[in-house]
Amino acid sequence: MRSIAQNIAEIKASLPAMVTLVAVSKTQPNDALMDAYHAGQRIFGENRVQELASKAEALPADIEWHMIGHLQTNKVKYIAPFVCLIHSVDSSKLLKEINKEAARNGRIIPVLLQFHIAEEESKFGLNWEEAEALLTSDDFRGMRNIRVVGVMGMATFTENKNQVRKEFGSLKNIFERLKANHFAEEPSFKEISMGMSGDYTIAIQEGSTMVRLGSSIFGSRS
Ligand SMILES: *Cc1c(COP(=O)(O)O)cnc(C)c1O
């Protein structure tokens, strides 16, 4: 069996230099995260607030924690003191709450806008009109403690590579249009978080800057 360290080394060697690797450690025990840590990995992604908060407390302080899963407004306060990037902003209500909790902690929290690019109904995310409404609102203009640094999306879970490619292409297109419309003067708007273990090669070809890999690092989740 290959080790976590070997998996990370292989994946890192295959990623273009500009692409950030987020190790998705949900459901994995702290020992497994520490194996990745000793292999040099410092960015970890979790999809549940409670698990994220308790791992952050137990593990080394130089880990950068990313929230990648659906986030409820009433739980923002538990991660606001330390979270490095929230990938899953899908409403102006959530963004407002993140701004409020960031201010209480004297921080500016970087976030990504999550877009619904998949065919499946079940996945969370904004559509183009919703994002435009959010970014042109007075509410948004008043938010001093968040920084929108890019977009995130998940492709349909399918064997059809053309469809996956098309969906990732649509997120890249959304990114370019948002950049032109709202962030032309902001170099920090640069991230496209797309690609998981099954589809990250396609995501990179379509312009991903950040891949979120779980099972290809840690093995399948129980
Ligand atoms: C679980 C998860 C991943 C990683 O999935 P793998 O297929 O194990 O790589 C990536 N992104 C999100 C949002 C997830 O919930």
Side-chain angles (χ1 to χ4, degrees):
M1 220 183 92
R2 285 187 311 181
S3 70
I4 289 170
Q6 282 171 316
N7 291 339
I8 288 181
E10 273 183 33
I11 292 165
K12 282 212 168 141
S14 78
L15 294 180
M18 301 287 293
V19 176
T20 301
L21 173 61
V22 179
V24 176
S25 48
K26 62 191 185 193
T27 77
Q28 301 295 337
N30 289 350
D31 284 355
L33 279 77
M34 283 311 293
D35 285 350
Y37 182 88
H38 291 308
Q41 184 64 25
R42 289 295 180 274
I43 304 176
F44 291 85
E46 290 280 336
N47 69 339
R48 288 170 187 272
V49 165
Q50 202 149 28
E51 192 174 344
L52 175 52
S54 67
K55 282 175 172 168
E57 200 171 302
L59 294 171
D62 63 341
I63 290 178
E64 295 180 22
W65 294 99
H66 289 198
M67 176 63 188
I68 62 169
H70 183 65
L71 180 56
Q72 288 171 281
T73 50
N74 62 348
K75 296 197 173 159
V76 172
K77 58 177 177 282
Y78 300 115
I79 60 171
F82 66 89
V83 71
C84 276
L85 180 63
I86 297 175
H87 290 232
S88 45
V89 170
D90 61 358
S91 74
S92 107
K93 183 173 159 235
L94 176 59
L95 197 56
K96 224 181 197 170
E97 180 67 15
I98 296 169
N99 183 64
K100 190 184 98 189
E101 290 298 329
R104 279 178 26 144
N105 286 278
R107 303 187 61 207
I108 293 174
I109 297 182
V111 305
L112 304 176
L113 298 180
Q114 182 175 357
F115 281 84
H116 181 261
I117 54 170
E119 214 166 56
E120 292 144 335
E121 287 275 324
S122 61
K123 303 231 161 124
F124 295 103
L126 300 160
N127 62 33
W128 173 257
E129 288 74 25
E130 290 165 342
E132 278 291 311
L134 190 162
L135 294 171
T136 53
S137 67
D138 288 341
D139 267 354
F140 178 71
R141 268 187 276 274
M143 295 181 194
R144 294 280 169 261
N145 294 82
I146 50 99
R147 180 175 297 128
V148 178
V149 299
V151 299
M152 181 271 222
M154 291 165 83
T156 304
F157 187 71
T158 171
E159 293 294 314
N160 184 342
K161 291 190 173 161
N162 287 332
Q163 183 178 350
V164 170
R165 185 178 298 284
K166 206 178 72 190
E167 291 172 0
F168 285 147
S170 77
L171 186 61
K172 166 79 168 169
N173 184 262
I174 287 168
F175 169 84
E176 295 297 349
R177 286 154 71 203
L178 290 181
K179 188 165 178 63
N181 290 359
H182 305 283
F183 301 99
E185 311 291 319
E186 294 178 41
S188 59
F189 186 84
K190 63 181 172 58
E191 303 295 353
I192 306 177
S193 168
M194 60 184 186
M196 309 180 14
S197 293
D199 56 20
Y200 75 96
T201 331
I202 302 175
I204 288 169
Q205 288 163 357
E206 296 304 314
S208 172
T209 67
M210 204 173 253
V211 292
R212 310 178 309 271
L213 306 188
S215 46
S216 57
I217 294 175
F218 296 105
S220 55
R221 287 177 290 275
S222 41

